[in-house]
């Protein structure tokens, strides 16, 4: 039985992970430490709250005393670190929080694990959840990122994640901390905050608002369903080699404009209207320093851990669109005043 500290478990991927873990490992203890920033929403785990094996703690990963207390009180033997500021556009508008949480917060967790874990306990694991964005931008014909691609982050967000990845690596080499790092591509699925491309487009289209495409819309991302990401993290926790990094991706590259058209196609099918939703597409000013292409070679995950994505993109997108259609109350509630201010600043 594991005692897992999930940080950022009330956000998009974290809440999907907590739900996934409690279903697939029901006897484990799960402690969710989340600061409940604008992106954290306790409603994401509404039906989990009463479980005796689950505890929610409202607090920051930067709070060293709180983190140390949790390690001791809960006999934590596994950390899955999702907590982060995660949105590139916000990092461009204001990078400071990204350094605080993503760099200092990860450092605080690493210190707690170093001080709290017995070196002889071989069952402890510190899994740091990171992104493919640390590798920078690819040209059209470049090979996909692998675990050995040199870091070349281009945004304050990706630079802060790269910094945290380096700290995690250093704690393995210097102190022998049993760390694992995953670098994953763009996730999509239920409970994603509507500042990210796919939920933003679904919700804007439902409300008849314009669908903003940055630049020429030809930037490419690799997309993975969030449940496939959770299964990948599980595989790495169970069977990953300590000190190693793992690239997780969907082998599923799409230009932004094609994704938006695909979402529109599903919306037209599920909610036929007078005009196609793609009429709402509008090209807007490009993101500063916008990375052109990300692609992941997930061969190591398949070879060494037998992991592969299960969702096809068509199916995953259709289910995601259906989820947002069926959960209007959820997305209306997360779009509070603070989000409206951000939206105004970003898209005015
Ligand atoms: P998110 O923004 O939806 O959620 C982040 C969560 O962290 C929120 O619940 C927030 O309240 C919490 N948080 C923020 N600061 C905190 C702090 N100081 N202490 C404790 N909790 C704090 O993010 P997400 O999309 O779910 O991403 C989760 C992780 O996965 C991040 O580390 C991100 O870098 C990584 N990642 C995301 C993607 C993606 O496509 N979304 C892809 C690869 C990797
Ligand atoms: P996003 O969901 O913010 O993820 P990331 O920047 O981490 O890849 O954006 C995905 C892509 O969509 C990215 O190339 C930027 C683009 N994009 C738009 O064209 N319009 C938008 O309104 C948003 C939010 C993103």
């Amino acid at each position: 039985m594991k005692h897992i500290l999930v940080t950022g478990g009330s956000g998009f991927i974290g809440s999907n992970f907590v739900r996934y873990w409690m279903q697939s490992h029901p006897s484990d203890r799960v402690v969710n430490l989340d600061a409940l920033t604008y992106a954290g929403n306790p409603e994401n785990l509404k039906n989990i709250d009463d479980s005796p094996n689950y505890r929610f703690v409202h607090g920051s990963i930067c709070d060293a005393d709180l983190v140390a207390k949790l390690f001791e009180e809960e006999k934590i033997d596994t950390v899955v670190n999702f907590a982060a500021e995660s949105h590139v556009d916000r990092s461009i508008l204001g990078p400071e929080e990204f350094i605080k949480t993503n760099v200092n917060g990860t450092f605080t967790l690493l210190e707690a694990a170093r001080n709290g874990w017995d070196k002889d306990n071989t069952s402890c694991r510190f899994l740091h959840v990171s992104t493919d964005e640390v590798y920078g931008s690819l040209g059209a014909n470049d090979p996909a990122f692998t675990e050995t691609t040199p870091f070349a982050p281009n945004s304050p967000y990706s630079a802060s994640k790269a910094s945290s990845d380096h700290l995690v690596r250093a704690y393995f080499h210097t102190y022998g901390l049993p760390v694992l790092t995953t670098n994953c591509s763009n996730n999509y699925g239920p409970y994603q905050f509507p500042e990210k491309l796919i939920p933003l487009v679904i919700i804007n289209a439902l409300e008849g608002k314009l669908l903003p495409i940055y630049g020429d819309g030809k930037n490419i991302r690799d997309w993975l369903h969030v449940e496939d990401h959770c299964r990948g993290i599980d595989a790495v926790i169970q069977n990953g080699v300590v000190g190693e990094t793992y690239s997780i991706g969907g082998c599923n590259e799409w230009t932004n404009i094609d994704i938006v058209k695909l979402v529109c196609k599903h919306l037209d099918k599920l909610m036929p209207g007078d005009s196609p939703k793609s009429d709402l597409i509008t090209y807007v000013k490009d993101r500063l320093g916008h990375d052109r292409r990300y692609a992941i070679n997930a061969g190591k995950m398949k070879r060494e851990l037998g992991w592969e994505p299960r969702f096809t993109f068509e199916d995953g997108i259709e289910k995601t669109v259906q989820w947002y259609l069926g959960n209007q109350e959820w997305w209306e509630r997360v779009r509070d005043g603070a989000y409206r201010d951000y939206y105004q600043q970003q898209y005015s």
Side-chain angles (χ1 to χ4, degrees), residues 18-60:
V18 168
R19 198 172 306 100
Y20 161 88
W21 196 273
M22 296 203 59
Q23 272 160 19
S24 49
H25 307 270
S27 54
D28 286 354
R29 171 84 171 153
V30 175
V31 179
N32 169 17
L33 172 63
D34 198 298
L36 298 183
T37 67
Y38 76 94
N41 181 358
E43 283 188 36
N44 295 358
L45 289 168
K46 218 167 36 190
N47 41 3
I48 300 281
D49 275 347
D50 312 330
S51 163
N53 284 350
Y54 173 76
R55 174 178 170 198
F56 172 71
V57 179
H58 184 194
S60 171

Side-chain angles (χ1 to χ4, degrees), residues 140-189:
N141 300 314
D142 288 340
F145 302 132
T146 69
E147 291 78 4
T148 55
T149 304
F151 281 18
N154 290 320
S155 71
Y157 163 66
S158 54
S160 68
K161 292 297 291 188
S163 309
S164 62
D165 292 15
H166 282 318
L167 280 172
V168 171
R169 174 191 156 87
Y171 271 64
F172 171 71
H173 283 272
T174 306
Y175 304 115
L177 198 74
V179 304
L180 298 150
T181 300
T182 54
N183 293 90
C184 188
S185 59
N186 286 57
N187 284 213
Y188 69 96

Side-chain angles (χ1 to χ4, degrees), residues 195-213:
E195 65 188 354
K196 304 279 168 66
L197 180 69
I198 290 177
L200 184 131
V201 163
I202 297 172
I203 290 171
N204 276 17
L206 289 176
E207 296 188 324
K209 291 186 189 152
L210 294 174
L211 312 180
I213 309 275

Side-chain angles (χ1 to χ4, degrees), residues 35-93:
L36 298 183
T37 67
Y38 76 94
N41 181 358
E43 283 188 36
N44 295 358
L45 289 168
K46 218 167 36 190
N47 41 3
I48 300 281
D49 275 347
D50 312 330
S51 163
N53 284 350
Y54 173 76
R55 174 178 170 198
F56 172 71
V57 179
H58 184 194
S60 171
I61 59 166
C62 300
D63 183 341
D65 292 342
L66 172 64
V67 174
K69 191 173 114 210
L70 285 178
F71 264 72
E72 203 183 316
E73 230 172 62
E74 294 285 351
K75 301 184 178 51
I76 296 300
D77 56 29
T78 306
V79 174
V80 187
N81 182 29
F82 292 100
E85 290 294 333
S86 69
H87 189 37
V88 174
D89 293 322
R90 284 185 191 257
S91 81
I92 295 167
L93 293 172

